[in-house]
């Protein structure tokens, strides 16, 4: 722990050193430089102090989220400054070396820093700074309803036009604005879907995180064809140190009960038939299965008795499950609904044209709809937020999927 904090301190000091080179080039007032240095020192010490106070038996708290938010807000822009100044240093050293071997009469090995380079660095740094400020003040509750129509040639006739609302990754322990959460629940209800599915992560770690929000989530109205859910990786309480295994198990049992307390039927490696008219589809729900996370999901157990021809919708929290087990499964899962990635809560999206996030370097399917041989997975961007208390570019999502019978995707 001490080594990690020491490494963090040295890294932040390196960033501070280079950022200051830019600041002092454009800020000539002595009192201005002193103010900047004082504020930087206060933030630096606060972040280090917060890291020393992190309690692995408690996990994420609003204090740790504040620290993470401040760390990103202050040091991401400064990293941009550092890279700009490092680039200038490479040029200065190269120029100095050339001049040295040419035996020119220029004084000094390094040329002085140029003000316009620092100005460019500050301009570039302003982009992540303003974006991160937006993310923590507006973005984290800027809910978007995303509607997706998916066509299936073998969809049972009665389900043509059937609508599903999906929410995922609530992370109730991160919430700090009851009014915004109530607004989001109203958005869910306004969709008037046939069925609602919740694909896991009701809390960050502890069951008690959800208790202040039970009444709010109970306002999700009844849906004609039911309210179903599965577990996410955070629902197992595996990211903190527990005093005993018994306490961990009690917390896990309490988390499972939370879903029933908000009137969702939790599917644990099992399936249900959804019947409409003379037709039916199978709704399959597995426990968490992640390529790099807990593998409690058992798709064979969940589909016991189902055959390949049965139209199936699978709820599986982690989209890596689709990539590694589901998309080529012999039983054919027509549609898989996942979450988990949050789109890393940071990225760029221009609907219909472009989307980018660091999440794409970790997950093959990280946000939106993907297809493989007529089998689909939809990855919800998440309802809540975790670690970083904000969202930039990747907004919190309420998904509405319409099933259509046919051969085209619109």
């Amino acid at each position: 722990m001490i080594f990690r904090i020491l490494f963090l301190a040295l890294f932040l000091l390196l960033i501070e050193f280079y950022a200051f080179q830019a600041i002092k080039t454009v800020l000539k007032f002595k009192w201005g430089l002193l103010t900047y240095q004082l504020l930087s020192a206060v933030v630096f010490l606060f972040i280090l102090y917060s890291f020393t106070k992190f309690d692995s038996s408690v996990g994420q708290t609003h204090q740790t989220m504040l620290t993470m938010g401040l760390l990103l807000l202050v040091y991401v822009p400064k990293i941009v400054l550092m890279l700009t100044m490092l680039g200038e240093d490479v040029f200065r050293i190269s120029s100095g070396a050339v001049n040295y071997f040419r035996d020119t009469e220029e004084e000094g090995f390094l040329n002085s820093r140029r003000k316009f380079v620092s100005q460019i660095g500050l301009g570039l740094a302003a982009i992540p700074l303003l974006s991160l400020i937006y993310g923590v003040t507006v973005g984290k509750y800027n809910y978007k309803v995303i509607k997706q129509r998916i066509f299936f040639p073998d969809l049972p006739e009665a389900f043509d036009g059937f609508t599903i609302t999906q929410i995922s990754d609530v992370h109730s322990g991160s919430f700090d604005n009851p009014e915004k959460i109530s607004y989001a629940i109203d958005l869910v209800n306004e969709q008037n879907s046939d069925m609602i599915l919740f694909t896991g992560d009701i809390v960050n770690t502890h069951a008690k995180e959800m208790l202040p929000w039970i009444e709010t989530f109970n306002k999700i109205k009844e849906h004609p064809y039911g309210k179903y859910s599965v577990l996410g990786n955070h629902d197992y309480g595996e990211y903190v140190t527990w005093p005993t295994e018994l306490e961990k198990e009690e917390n896990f049992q309490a988390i499972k009960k939370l879903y029933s307390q908000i009137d969702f039927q939790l599917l644990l490696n099992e399936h249900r038939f959804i019947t409409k008219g003379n037709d039916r589809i199978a709704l399959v729900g597995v426990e968490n299965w992640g390529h790099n996370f807990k593998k409690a999901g058992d798709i064979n157990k969940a589909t016991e008795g189902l055959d390949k021809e049965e139209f199936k919708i699978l709820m599986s929290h982690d989209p890596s499950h689709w990539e590694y087990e589901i998309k080529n499964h012999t039983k054919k899962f027509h549609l898989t609904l996942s979450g988990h990635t949050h789109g890393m809560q940071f990225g760029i999206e221009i609907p219909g044209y472009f989307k980018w996030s660091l999440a794409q370097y970790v997950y093959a399917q990280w946000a939106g709809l993907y297809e493989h041989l007529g089998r689909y997975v939809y990855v919800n961007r998440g309802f809540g937020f975790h670690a970083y208390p904000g969202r930039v570019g990747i907004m919190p999502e309420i998904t509405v999927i319409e099933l259509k019978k046919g051969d085209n995707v619109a």
Side-chain angles (χ1 to χ4, degrees):
M1 181 67 175
I2 295 176
F3 176 78
R4 290 180 181 178
I5 293 174
L6 180 60
F7 177 80
L8 175 65
L10 292 174
F11 180 61
L12 295 184
L13 286 173
L14 177 65
I15 296 172
E16 290 287 2
F17 170 78
Y18 271 99
F20 184 68
Q21 304 309 305
I23 296 296
K24 73 177 184 180
T25 303
V26 298
L27 192 63
K28 299 299 184 181
F29 300 104
K30 186 176 181 179
W31 61 267
L33 287 173
L34 288 173
T35 301
Y36 168 83
Q37 290 174 307
L38 178 62
L39 290 175
S40 295
V42 169
V43 171
F44 172 79
L45 293 173
F46 173 79
I47 289 172
L48 290 186
Y49 172 79
S50 296
F51 271 89
T52 63
K53 293 300 180 181
F54 178 75
D55 188 344
S56 62
S57 66
V58 175
Q60 178 177 288
T61 64
H62 287 289
Q63 174 69 23
T64 59
M65 291 186 69
L66 171 64
T67 301
M68 182 58 70
L70 192 60
L71 179 68
L72 294 174
L73 186 65
V74 172
Y75 284 100
V76 169
K78 287 187 177 182
I79 287 174
V80 173
L81 276 179
M82 179 183 75
L83 293 175
T84 304
M85 305 314 288
L86 274 172
E88 184 185 26
D89 279 351
V90 170
F91 179 80
R92 294 166 69 209
I93 292 171
S94 299
S95 297
V98 170
N99 292 333
Y100 176 80
F101 286 109
R102 283 181 177 177
D103 196 24
T104 63
E105 296 181 357
E106 291 188 23
E107 294 183 6
F109 182 77
L110 293 178
N111 297 323
S112 60
R113 293 195 179 277
R114 290 162 293 181
K115 184 177 180 179
F116 85 92
V117 174
S118 297
Q119 290 173 329
I120 290 172
L122 289 167
L124 293 173
I127 297 173
L129 175 63
L130 295 175
S131 298
L132 289 164
I133 291 174
Y134 170 84
V136 299
T137 56
V138 177
K140 64 183 178 182
Y141 292 125
N142 187 16
Y143 292 96
K144 301 296 182 184
V145 176
I146 297 180
K147 297 187 177 184
Q148 181 72 59
R149 181 178 292 170
I150 311 176
F151 288 80
F152 300 92
D154 53 349
L155 179 71
E157 291 282 353
F159 286 88
D160 187 19
F162 191 85
T163 54
I164 301 168
T165 292
Q166 181 197 7
I167 59 174
S168 191
D169 300 87
V170 163
H171 290 285
S172 54
S174 301
F175 294 156
D176 56 11
N177 191 321
E179 183 179 338
K180 295 293 186 182
I181 303 305
S182 293
Y183 165 74
I185 298 302
D186 288 342
L187 278 180
V188 169
N189 287 331
E190 286 174 12
Q191 306 316 309
N192 292 315
S193 294
D194 293 306
M195 182 167 65
I196 183 168
L197 305 179
F198 179 179
T199 47
D201 276 2
I202 197 170
V203 295
N204 294 329
T205 299
H206 298 91
K208 64 184 179 182
E209 298 166 15
M210 185 62 184
L211 298 182
W213 308 101
I214 293 290
E215 182 178 349
T216 302
F217 276 78
N218 266 322
K219 292 178 182 176
I220 296 178
K221 66 184 182 182
E222 290 297 322
H223 285 59
Y225 292 88
K227 301 160 71 174
Y228 297 91
S229 60
V230 291
L231 297 172
N233 58 303
H234 281 268
D235 293 330
Y236 294 85
E238 297 200 329
Y239 303 114
V240 300
T241 303
W242 293 92
T244 65
E245 281 299 314
L246 177 61
E247 289 182 59
K248 179 183 178 181
E249 179 61 24
E250 288 175 344
N251 181 69
F252 180 51
Q253 296 303 322
I255 286 174
K256 288 194 288 186
K257 289 178 181 178
L258 289 174
Y259 287 97
S260 62
Q261 287 179 266
I262 60 171
D263 203 26
F264 277 77
Q265 186 175 158
L266 183 62
L267 300 183
L268 300 168
N269 296 323
E270 54 191 317
H271 66 268
R272 298 286 185 272
F273 288 113
I274 309 299
T275 303
K276 186 178 182 184
N278 296 322
D279 292 324
R280 73 179 189 181
I281 62 176
L283 177 66
V284 182
V286 294
E287 292 193 52
N288 190 80
W289 192 104
H291 183 59
N292 296 311
F293 291 89
K294 188 177 184 70
K295 292 178 174 63
D298 187 337
I299 193 62
N300 294 320
K301 178 182 178 182
T303 57
E304 193 172 327
L306 295 179
D307 56 35
K308 181 178 180 180
E309 286 68 37
E310 195 88 49
F311 190 94
K312 294 178 284 294
I313 295 175
L314 170 66
M315 289 191 290
S316 182
H317 176 73
D318 190 322
S320 67
H321 192 201
W322 188 80
E323 175 67 17
Y324 287 93
E325 278 203 344
I326 301 303
K327 71 179 184 181
N328 292 312
H329 199 281
T330 56
K331 284 193 174 179
K332 186 181 180 180
F333 295 88
H334 297 73
L335 174 63
T336 299
L337 298 178
S338 299
H340 180 64
T341 72
H342 302 203
M344 286 198 177
Q345 297 169 210
F346 191 97
I348 302 170
E349 282 201 83
I350 304 174
Y353 295 97
F354 178 78
K355 65 180 180 181
W356 174 89
S357 168
L358 290 173
Q360 70 190 57
Y361 304 112
V362 182
Y363 295 93
Q365 300 81 30
W366 60 276
L369 186 68
Y370 303 83
E371 182 266 345
H372 174 74
L373 300 176
R375 306 175 187 197
Y376 296 87
V377 61
Y378 189 90
V379 185
N380 182 285
R381 294 159 179 82
F383 186 95
F385 49 92
H386 183 256
Y388 165 57
R391 282 180 176 266
V392 178
I394 310 294
M395 296 301 125
E397 175 180 357
I398 297 163
T399 313
V400 179
I401 292 175
E402 182 182 8
L403 306 181
K404 294 293 294 181
K405 188 173 182 66
D407 296 316
N408 300 311
V409 177

